[in-house]
Amino acid sequence: MNGVLPSQTITAMIDAGRIASDIPFAEGQVQPASLDLRLGSEAFRVRASFLAGEGQSLRDRLGQFEMHRIDLTGGAVLEKNCVYVVPLMERLELPGDVNAVANAKSSTGRLDLLTRVITDGGVEFDRIGAGYRGPLYAEICPRSFSVLVRPGMRLNQIRFRRGKVALDDAALRALHQQTPLVSGQATISEGLAFSVDLKPEDGRLVGWRARPHAGVIDLDRVGQYAPRDFWEPVRTEDGRIILDPGAFYILVSREAVHIPPDYAAEMAPYLAMVGEFRVHYAGFFDPGFGHAPAGGAGARGVLEVRCHEAPFALEHGQIVGRLVYERMSERPEALYGEGIASNYQGQGLKLSKHFRAP
């Protein structure tokens, strides 16, 4: 059946050798509608971001860009504003009717850690064609903070698809009528639009801005870091903030969103014409996100925002992105927040799992 492949199908693909690894798969690696990918044991510092290109292997092209190799076995720091290529533990042998798309995990995006999957013969980041057979690599560029990484860490996730999966606007409106997808009025145009919340009910704090000269973050340390050592609070009294070029912000959507159990979603940009900024680096929403039986009643989306060329005035309620809903081929055996480790179910404005509560 066409749709996004659920956890039980991903497990079957592992059992059949369609997804393989020399290291046994880890507990919790299979998510409701995706698979976490793990870093291998070495990293390559490269001069620039690059793609393998049609008909070429990435290993062959590394020689044109490699500066030096780094052994990750005992842990190593990936420096801010440097580009690295890390072979991943997993490799694929996809069926001819299954393609894949990759994305950063939520905690990765909230650290402004740009990471994308690349493949042999690849001409796009994070896109893996049907029938692909070969290794996977992560390109990693820490933007705001240097990070300490080790083999087995999971920075990326991959979602497998068969056939046409995205709902068009008519189908999305029908689904919203059947089960509300968003609090308040739904704006549907090439997906479900969402806006930014700059008038919180519980005070003036509307977000966080990354400090420019913070320390190293060990990605294995959960709940260990003081937010003020890495972030500046962003406050406003008039529902407006000015985004500074080059700065990175954590904000939150005004709407609480809901992903029903038979659907998944991916966050996508709205329109470049509304402002020179990028929203959300980690765009997968699993079945059950914000779903009441899974422990939520709608959950707001955390927005990872980077401003580009010029200062930009962001206003409360301004539409900044959209959710593209996708059909599942069947309902996952476990939903987001239901019997699995889900750090962000029922979330509001929230930093990555590495930070203590403010």
Side-chain angles (χ1 to χ4, degrees), residues 1 4-16 18-19 30 32 98 160 162 328-333:
M1 184 175 176
V4 174
L5 304 187
S7 54
Q8 58 268 31
T9 305
I10 294 171
T11 299
M13 292 172 67
I14 292 172
D15 292 341
R18 294 289 191 178
I19 307 169
V30 178
V98 173
F160 301 94
R162 180 184 289 115
M328 297 294 298
S329 64
E330 60 180 309
R331 182 175 294 198
E333 292 178 342

Side-chain angles (χ1 to χ4, degrees), residues 98-169:
V98 173
N99 65 75
V101 59
N103 216 314
K105 289 178 62 65
S106 293
S107 293
T108 307
R110 294 182 200 202
L111 292 176
D112 197 19
L113 187 56
L114 178 63
T115 177
R116 305 181 285 192
V117 168
I118 46 182
T119 63
D120 287 346
V123 295
E124 292 182 282
F125 293 106
D126 286 335
R127 296 295 184 267
I128 300 155
Y132 174 76
R133 297 185 176 191
L136 300 172
Y137 303 83
E139 178 195 273
I140 302 172
C141 180
R143 302 294 304 278
S144 289
F145 312 116
S146 297
V147 294
L148 178 63
V149 301
R150 299 177 184 86
M153 284 184 170
R154 310 174 196 176
L155 306 187
N156 306 71
Q157 54 193 334
I158 189 168
R159 182 174 280 180
F160 301 94
R161 297 161 162 164
R162 180 184 289 115
K164 181 177 172 58
V165 300
L167 273 63
D168 60 23
D169 288 348

Side-chain angles (χ1 to χ4, degrees), residues 193-217:
F194 59 88
S195 61
V196 63
D197 183 10
L198 297 180
K199 291 184 177 179
E201 296 179 358
D202 55 354
R204 295 169 48 223
L205 180 69
V206 298
W208 299 89
R209 170 178 162 153
R211 294 186 181 276
H213 305 293
V216 174
I217 295 176

Side-chain angles (χ1 to χ4, degrees), residues 308-329:
H308 295 313
E309 301 299 329
F312 184 80
L314 193 61
E315 310 273 354
H316 175 74
Q318 182 170 342
I319 293 176
V320 293
R322 56 195 171 93
L323 278 178
V324 177
Y325 280 71
E326 303 171 334
R327 295 178 181 85
M328 297 294 298
S329 64

